[in-house]
Amino acid sequence: RSADCQANSADLLPYVGTQNAARDMDVLRAALGESKLTYLGKSYGTYLGAWYAQLFPRRVRALVLDGAVDPDTPSLQADTVQAEGFQVAFGAFASWCLASADCPLGHGGTVPAAEAKLQALIIQANAAPLRNQLGDGQVADGAMLLNGVADALYSRSYWPILENALADAFSGNGAGLVELANDLYERNPNGTYSTLANAVTAIDCLDKPWPRPLATWQAAASAAAKDAPLFGAAIVWGSLSCAYWPVPAYPLPQIRAAGAPPVLVVGTLRDPATPYRWAQALARDLSSGVLLGWNGVGHTAYGEGSACVDTAVNDYLFSLTVPKSGTVCRQ
């Protein structure tokens, strides 16, 4: 993949990082005739918004950074923290599932036992892939199954779908989890994919430094597997392309956005992809950061069912009224 990117996009690769995208965003602001920017960014969009505030603090009117990425966290450490987030989110799903008599993870069991049962299925599928009744030639191996589980953890609304897909998988049919994995990577019905995965790789490899020695990656993967047995090693090794990336990465940023007005940072307590600790860290890092938490499950908070979060964000976007920093919405 790295060599293909170099062959096809060598002139572009050094410039696809987030700080350049933030400069592009300021061009759009100017083109629209706006003196200041009002912005809602979710997930990676929080990194883009934070960079905008760093580069153009006086041009900020209101920034909502929901599902925050912490710019100060080094690359491999960020992989480990994200894996822990997915592990916590799976625990929330498992607790919900285990209360059901039909739960394929074992009614009335424990979360560690549910994790072990899923881990055994993944190991088994790596040795002997499950059936895939979709008829599209995709292999329902352990990596595909794990990606399917990860996709469903982004939103609580997917939990019933995941429960059914796991029931099928434990019966030998991996089609449901394959479909979820296809959703994660935006696979089209004709077998092609969106540019999402390639773009994320090109941007991530440039935005922060990544180690080169393989031994460093092996140690990080082993440590992550201890902290997050289901997801740790997979997420760390999933970034390995960055060890071979053909253009140098930017230095690790220190984003403070000095001079910006209050910036509202929103985090979900059991967010799989952007753990709450990142929202806490970004709110601390920003000179005018204000932290709003949601005691919920899933990726991002605004528009996800919390009237408390939605009201606070709307008050800020429309009236520039910020909640007390550290407020946690309970519903």
Side-chain angles (χ1 to χ4, degrees):
R1 175 185 286 181
S2 301
D4 289 342
C5 285
Q6 175 73 359
N8 296 325
S9 305
D11 292 341
L12 181 63
L13 285 186
Y15 305 105
V16 298
T18 301
Q19 55 187 282
N20 282 328
R23 294 185 177 100
D24 292 341
M25 193 159 66
D26 194 57
V27 173
L28 296 176
R29 174 205 57 78
L32 290 170
E34 298 289 337
S35 61
K36 294 190 176 183
L37 180 71
T38 299
Y39 174 83
L40 166 65
K42 292 193 170 195
S43 194
Y44 164 77
T46 66
Y47 196 45
L48 180 58
W51 259 114
Y52 187 90
Q54 176 73 9
L55 294 171
F56 309 106
R58 307 292 180 184
R59 297 177 193 168
V60 171
R61 176 188 170 271
L63 295 182
V64 177
L65 308 180
D66 181 11
V69 175
D70 177 27
D72 283 356
T73 303
S75 49
L76 279 183
Q77 182 182 336
D79 278 355
T80 299
V81 174
Q82 186 178 68
E84 292 170 353
F86 275 100
Q87 198 79 31
V88 168
F90 178 78
F93 161 76
S95 294
W96 169 84
C97 181
L98 293 169
S100 168
D102 297 326
C103 178
L105 296 172
H107 171 60
T110 66
V111 169
E115 293 173 349
K117 185 172 183 179
L118 177 58
Q119 185 77 290
L121 176 68
I122 291 168
I123 293 171
Q124 174 191 340
N126 277 329
L130 306 185
R131 298 190 311 277
N132 176 13
Q133 297 175 346
L134 299 177
D136 56 5
Q138 290 183 283
V139 179
D141 59 10
M144 185 71 80
L145 304 187
L146 187 62
N147 282 335
V149 172
D151 179 69
L153 297 179
Y154 276 83
S155 173
R156 185 166 185 154
S157 65
Y158 275 45
W159 284 8
I161 299 172
L162 178 57
E163 182 180 26
N164 291 333
L166 284 172
D168 289 343
F170 284 116
S171 297
N173 176 17
L177 289 176
V178 170
E179 286 189 296
L180 287 169
N182 289 341
D183 178 66
L184 181 66
Y185 284 101
E186 297 186 353
R187 188 177 194 266
N188 300 313
N190 65 0
T192 62
Y193 290 81
S194 78
T195 59
L196 172 67
N198 289 335
V200 167
T201 298
I203 295 165
D204 283 353
C205 292
L206 192 58
D207 270 352
K208 293 182 180 182
W210 294 82
R212 296 279 181 174
L214 186 59
T216 303
W217 288 80
Q218 290 171 326
S222 296
K226 293 178 181 177
D227 294 336
L230 286 172
F231 300 97
I235 288 179
V236 169
W237 287 122
S239 300
L240 186 61
S241 294
C242 294
Y244 306 99
W245 205 243
V247 295
Y250 302 147
L252 187 69
Q254 291 187 332
I255 294 179
R256 303 295 178 259
V263 175
L264 185 57
V265 180
V266 185
T268 303
L269 268 61
R270 291 173 294 284
D271 188 315
T274 52
Y276 186 62
R277 72 176 79 173
W278 283 351
Q280 293 173 305
L282 180 58
R284 286 194 304 266
D285 289 344
L286 295 174
S287 61
S288 56
V290 176
L291 177 65
L292 174 66
W294 177 39
N295 184 23
V297 180
H299 188 38
T300 73
Y302 181 61
E304 296 297 325
S306 169
C308 171
V309 170
D310 292 355
T311 297
V313 171
N314 290 338
D315 286 347
Y316 169 67
L317 288 175
F318 289 108
S319 305
L320 300 181
T321 303
V322 294
K324 180 181 178 182
S325 189
T327 297
V328 176
C329 289
R330 298 297 172 184
Q331 55 181 343

